[in-house]
Amino acid sequence: MDNLIEEQRKLIEQLYRIVKGSCPVDATSAKCRFEYDHGYEDGSESVGETFYYTKNGESVSAALRHELAFPVVDLVPQLHAKMKAHAGEIGMHLRCSSTKTGL
């Protein structure tokens, strides 16, 4: 089971790096919520994110940097599968947050 937890940690770390890399250097905090919708009758699925960072005391809604964001569509379903294997069926909404010390 430890291996499964380590695999989850590695996926979360990759998502964190994407969020961190999408922030301007002078951002003081960031939040990103990843959502994975699946299980539709037609077999379709979708991955979405909502990304904000704080700069000069103001919250800014933005998109993840395009060149960094491509792996998200694979990482989020992989993380869901690992979490499901570990804890059973879950509804997944992953939120990454960081403050300046972590950016």
Side-chain angles (χ1 to χ4, degrees):
M1 184 168 304
D2 290 334
N3 189 35
L4 194 56
I5 293 171
E6 179 63 15
E7 291 172 12
Q8 291 176 48
R9 189 199 62 77
K10 287 178 181 179
L11 292 167
I12 291 168
E13 176 67 24
Q14 290 178 62
L15 290 167
Y16 170 78
R17 279 189 245 128
I18 292 167
V19 171
K20 181 178 176 183
S22 296
C23 292
V25 294
D26 54 350
T28 55
S29 67
K31 294 180 183 179
C32 189
R33 180 179 172 141
F34 297 98
E35 296 186 26
Y36 177 51
D37 294 321
H38 67 290
Y40 298 104
E41 288 182 22
D42 64 0
S44 64
E45 60 185 22
S46 67
V47 174
E49 82 275 332
T50 305
F51 172 54
Y52 293 88
Y53 61 85
T54 303
K55 180 178 173 180
N56 299 326
E58 293 189 32
S59 182
V60 178
S61 175
L64 295 173
R65 283 183 51 195
H66 186 70
E67 65 274 14
L68 298 175
F70 285 114
V72 169
V73 297
D74 295 321
L75 293 172
V76 172
Q78 287 176 36
L79 180 58
H80 177 267
K82 302 287 183 199
M83 293 173 76
K84 183 178 176 183
H86 179 91
E89 185 59 44
I90 57 171
M92 186 176 140
H93 297 280
L94 173 67
R95 184 177 302 178
C96 294
S97 298
S98 182
T99 59
K100 188 170 187 166
T101 57
L103 285 178

